[in-house]
Amino acid sequence: GENVEQHPSTLSVQEGDSAVIKCTYSDSASNYFPWYKQELGKRPQLIIDIRSNVGEKKDQRIAVTLNKTAKHFSLHITETQPEDSAVYFCAASLPYGKLTFGQGTILTVHP
Amino acid sequence: SQTIHQWPATLVQPVGSPLSLECTVEGTSNPNLYWYRQAAGRGLQLLFYSVGIGQISSEVPQNLSASRPQDRQFILSSKKLLLSDSGFYLCAWTRQGTMNTEAFFGQGTRLTVV
């Protein structure tokens, strides 16, 4: 089955800096890669996703890049704000398949 | 619009007692359904996955079980809880089909086994 590795496990940045979280996946047939943000005690919510036919996608301060050859994808957050502090999860999905999550990254943005 | 309901929100159970967590989805049909467990506020561990009524895939050996008696109902159960079963349990659904879409999560159940 699919295996997703996520790094780093914790990330601390100053407000205004950029944050980058990286994930690798094992199954080259995976074709959908979402990113979720989970605030303390709440449910994970989708913040951005990318499909295998696209190399990069951007939504305001958030961008995701995908390298299918290397089987890795990354989340980039620019101009970080304290409210960006949360746990971030990457995930990968095969066609017709289940969603497999990475281990999560605790992002802390210091004012 | 689609909604997902999960209950209860919190639960404190003694070791050895049974467990039943319920999840229902509204506004869609034939969803993929998932049960995840999250320990210590970190990784989402997939416990069970279902593509249809009565079709359950178990991802992790454990003393938990899942059932899908109806298309949009997913139940997580245990006959005898262990201390290690404590955690945050999340139900989720996705649409079936070749174009995978986002997963929608329930509010979660915080289970404490004492």
PDB file of all heavy atoms in Angstrom, chain B residues 13-19 63 78-83 85 113-114:
ATOM      1  N   GLN B  13     -14.400   6.038  29.386  1.00  0.00           N
ATOM      2  CA  GLN B  13     -14.846   4.668  29.573  1.00  0.00           C
ATOM      3  C   GLN B  13     -13.832   3.896  30.411  1.00  0.00           C
ATOM      4  O   GLN B  13     -12.618   4.096  30.247  1.00  0.00           O
ATOM      5  CB  GLN B  13     -15.000   3.966  28.227  1.00  0.00           C
ATOM      6  CG  GLN B  13     -16.132   4.488  27.340  1.00  0.00           C
ATOM      7  CD  GLN B  13     -17.476   4.001  27.833  1.00  0.00           C
ATOM      8  OE1 GLN B  13     -18.165   4.726  28.552  1.00  0.00           O
ATOM      9  NE2 GLN B  13     -17.833   2.799  27.448  1.00  0.00           N
ATOM     10  N   PRO B  14     -14.289   2.990  31.257  1.00  0.00           N
ATOM     11  CA  PRO B  14     -13.340   2.164  32.016  1.00  0.00           C
ATOM     12  C   PRO B  14     -12.744   1.073  31.146  1.00  0.00           C
ATOM     13  O   PRO B  14     -13.342   0.638  30.151  1.00  0.00           O
ATOM     14  CB  PRO B  14     -14.221   1.565  33.128  1.00  0.00           C
ATOM     15  CG  PRO B  14     -15.601   1.599  32.579  1.00  0.00           C
ATOM     16  CD  PRO B  14     -15.673   2.779  31.669  1.00  0.00           C
ATOM     17  N   VAL B  15     -11.555   0.640  31.524  1.00  0.00           N
ATOM     18  CA  VAL B  15     -10.912  -0.483  30.856  1.00  0.00           C
ATOM     19  C   VAL B  15     -11.838  -1.692  30.886  1.00  0.00           C
ATOM     20  O   VAL B  15     -12.476  -1.974  31.900  1.00  0.00           O
ATOM     21  CB  VAL B  15      -9.568  -0.822  31.544  1.00  0.00           C
ATOM     22  CG1 VAL B  15      -9.017  -2.146  31.026  1.00  0.00           C
ATOM     23  CG2 VAL B  15      -8.553   0.279  31.297  1.00  0.00           C
ATOM     24  N   GLY B  16     -11.932  -2.382  29.766  1.00  0.00           N
ATOM     25  CA  GLY B  16     -12.748  -3.588  29.694  1.00  0.00           C
ATOM     26  C   GLY B  16     -14.191  -3.344  29.279  1.00  0.00           C
ATOM     27  O   GLY B  16     -14.930  -4.302  29.022  1.00  0.00           O
ATOM     28  N   SER B  17     -14.585  -2.095  29.194  1.00  0.00           N
ATOM     29  CA  SER B  17     -15.967  -1.794  28.795  1.00  0.00           C
ATOM     30  C   SER B  17     -16.082  -1.779  27.265  1.00  0.00           C
ATOM     31  O   SER B  17     -15.080  -1.646  26.560  1.00  0.00           O
ATOM     32  CB  SER B  17     -16.384  -0.438  29.369  1.00  0.00           C
ATOM     33  OG  SER B  17     -15.603   0.597  28.821  1.00  0.00           O
ATOM     34  N   PRO B  18     -17.288  -1.903  26.733  1.00  0.00           N
ATOM     35  CA  PRO B  18     -17.469  -1.866  25.275  1.00  0.00           C
ATOM     36  C   PRO B  18     -17.478  -0.435  24.753  1.00  0.00           C
ATOM     37  O   PRO B  18     -17.596   0.532  25.508  1.00  0.00           O
ATOM     38  CB  PRO B  18     -18.840  -2.523  25.088  1.00  0.00           C
ATOM     39  CG  PRO B  18     -19.561  -2.226  26.357  1.00  0.00           C
ATOM     40  CD  PRO B  18     -18.529  -2.224  27.435  1.00  0.00           C
ATOM     41  N   LEU B  19     -17.349  -0.324  23.429  1.00  0.00           N
ATOM     42  CA  LEU B  19     -17.310   0.986  22.779  1.00  0.00           C
ATOM     43  C   LEU B  19     -18.169   0.954  21.518  1.00  0.00           C
ATOM     44  O   LEU B  19     -18.183  -0.045  20.787  1.00  0.00           O
ATOM     45  CB  LEU B  19     -15.877   1.345  22.384  1.00  0.00           C
ATOM     46  CG  LEU B  19     -15.707   2.614  21.532  1.00  0.00           C
ATOM     47  CD1 LEU B  19     -15.934   3.855  22.391  1.00  0.00           C
ATOM     48  CD2 LEU B  19     -14.348   2.645  20.875  1.00  0.00           C
ATOM     49  N   ASN B  63      -7.942  -4.427  18.781  1.00  0.00           N
ATOM     50  CA  ASN B  63      -9.175  -4.971  19.349  1.00  0.00           C
ATOM     51  C   ASN B  63     -10.374  -4.127  18.962  1.00  0.00           C
ATOM     52  O   ASN B  63     -11.404  -4.176  19.619  1.00  0.00           O
ATOM     53  CB  ASN B  63      -9.046  -5.079  20.873  1.00  0.00           C
ATOM     54  CG  ASN B  63      -9.067  -3.715  21.521  1.00  0.00           C
ATOM     55  OD1 ASN B  63      -8.504  -2.757  21.003  1.00  0.00           O
ATOM     56  ND2 ASN B  63      -9.732  -3.604  22.657  1.00  0.00           N
ATOM     57  N   SER B  78     -15.760  -1.769  19.981  1.00  0.00           N
ATOM     58  CA  SER B  78     -14.830  -2.629  20.700  1.00  0.00           C
ATOM     59  C   SER B  78     -15.609  -3.396  21.760  1.00  0.00           C
ATOM     60  O   SER B  78     -16.530  -2.852  22.367  1.00  0.00           O
ATOM     61  CB  SER B  78     -13.728  -1.814  21.365  1.00  0.00           C
ATOM     62  OG  SER B  78     -12.901  -2.647  22.163  1.00  0.00           O
ATOM     63  N   LYS B  79     -15.239  -4.627  21.974  1.00  0.00           N
ATOM     64  CA  LYS B  79     -15.909  -5.415  23.006  1.00  0.00           C
ATOM     65  C   LYS B  79     -15.316  -5.117  24.379  1.00  0.00           C
ATOM     66  O   LYS B  79     -16.011  -5.098  25.393  1.00  0.00           O
ATOM     67  CB  LYS B  79     -15.774  -6.902  22.694  1.00  0.00           C
ATOM     68  CG  LYS B  79     -16.547  -7.336  21.461  1.00  0.00           C
ATOM     69  CD  LYS B  79     -16.425  -8.836  21.227  1.00  0.00           C
ATOM     70  CE  LYS B  79     -17.220  -9.248  19.998  1.00  0.00           C
ATOM     71  NZ  LYS B  79     -17.078 -10.703  19.715  1.00  0.00           N
ATOM     72  N   LYS B  80     -13.980  -4.883  24.384  1.00  0.00           N
ATOM     73  CA  LYS B  80     -13.297  -4.598  25.654  1.00  0.00           C
ATOM     74  C   LYS B  80     -12.196  -3.583  25.412  1.00  0.00           C
ATOM     75  O   LYS B  80     -11.180  -3.891  24.790  1.00  0.00           O
ATOM     76  CB  LYS B  80     -12.685  -5.876  26.246  1.00  0.00           C
ATOM     77  CG  LYS B  80     -13.682  -6.878  26.790  1.00  0.00           C
ATOM     78  CD  LYS B  80     -12.963  -8.035  27.474  1.00  0.00           C
ATOM     79  CE  LYS B  80     -13.952  -9.025  28.077  1.00  0.00           C
ATOM     80  NZ  LYS B  80     -13.256 -10.140  28.771  1.00  0.00           N
ATOM     81  N   LEU B  81     -12.386  -2.386  25.934  1.00  0.00           N
ATOM     82  CA  LEU B  81     -11.404  -1.325  25.725  1.00  0.00           C
ATOM     83  C   LEU B  81     -10.124  -1.548  26.523  1.00  0.00           C
ATOM     84  O   LEU B  81     -10.151  -2.071  27.642  1.00  0.00           O
ATOM     85  CB  LEU B  81     -12.008   0.027  26.115  1.00  0.00           C
ATOM     86  CG  LEU B  81     -12.993   0.631  25.122  1.00  0.00           C
ATOM     87  CD1 LEU B  81     -13.711   1.822  25.743  1.00  0.00           C
ATOM     88  CD2 LEU B  81     -12.285   1.040  23.846  1.00  0.00           C
ATOM     89  N   LEU B  82      -9.025  -1.102  25.923  1.00  0.00           N
ATOM     90  CA  LEU B  82      -7.719  -1.105  26.574  1.00  0.00           C
ATOM     91  C   LEU B  82      -7.306   0.340  26.840  1.00  0.00           C
ATOM     92  O   LEU B  82      -7.802   1.269  26.188  1.00  0.00           O
ATOM     93  CB  LEU B  82      -6.671  -1.766  25.663  1.00  0.00           C
ATOM     94  CG  LEU B  82      -6.972  -3.175  25.155  1.00  0.00           C
ATOM     95  CD1 LEU B  82      -5.923  -3.584  24.145  1.00  0.00           C
ATOM     96  CD2 LEU B  82      -7.042  -4.160  26.307  1.00  0.00           C
ATOM     97  N   LEU B  83      -6.380   0.532  27.770  1.00  0.00           N
ATOM     98  CA  LEU B  83      -5.868   1.879  28.023  1.00  0.00           C
ATOM     99  C   LEU B  83      -5.294   2.498  26.750  1.00  0.00           C
ATOM    100  O   LEU B  83      -5.453   3.699  26.495  1.00  0.00           O
ATOM    101  CB  LEU B  83      -4.794   1.851  29.113  1.00  0.00           C
ATOM    102  CG  LEU B  83      -5.268   1.627  30.548  1.00  0.00           C
ATOM    103  CD1 LEU B  83      -4.074   1.478  31.472  1.00  0.00           C
ATOM    104  CD2 LEU B  83      -6.158   2.777  31.014  1.00  0.00           C
ATOM    105  N   ASP B  85      -6.294   2.344  23.887  1.00  0.00           N
ATOM    106  CA  ASP B  85      -7.318   2.788  22.929  1.00  0.00           C
ATOM    107  C   ASP B  85      -7.661   4.266  23.094  1.00  0.00           C
ATOM    108  O   ASP B  85      -8.396   4.828  22.275  1.00  0.00           O
ATOM    109  CB  ASP B  85      -8.588   1.945  23.086  1.00  0.00           C
ATOM    110  CG  ASP B  85      -8.388   0.503  22.640  1.00  0.00           C
ATOM    111  OD1 ASP B  85      -7.640   0.297  21.661  1.00  0.00           O
ATOM    112  OD2 ASP B  85      -8.978  -0.403  23.267  1.00  0.00           O
ATOM    113  N   VAL B 113      -9.754   6.230  28.105  1.00  0.00           N
ATOM    114  CA  VAL B 113      -9.999   4.954  28.780  1.00  0.00           C
ATOM    115  C   VAL B 113      -9.287   5.004  30.133  1.00  0.00           C
ATOM    116  O   VAL B 113      -8.079   5.259  30.195  1.00  0.00           O
ATOM    117  CB  VAL B 113      -9.487   3.774  27.944  1.00  0.00           C
ATOM    118  CG1 VAL B 113      -9.797   2.455  28.651  1.00  0.00           C
ATOM    119  CG2 VAL B 113     -10.127   3.790  26.559  1.00  0.00           C
ATOM    120  N   VAL B 114     -10.034   4.775  31.176  1.00  0.00           N
ATOM    121  CA  VAL B 114      -9.472   4.924  32.538  1.00  0.00           C
ATOM    122  C   VAL B 114      -9.495   3.593  33.303  1.00  0.00           C
ATOM    123  O   VAL B 114     -10.211   2.670  32.926  1.00  0.00           O
ATOM    124  CB  VAL B 114     -10.247   5.995  33.329  1.00  0.00           C
ATOM    125  CG1 VAL B 114     -10.082   7.351  32.671  1.00  0.00           C
ATOM    126  CG2 VAL B 114     -11.723   5.619  33.466  1.00  0.00           C
TER     127      VAL B 114
END
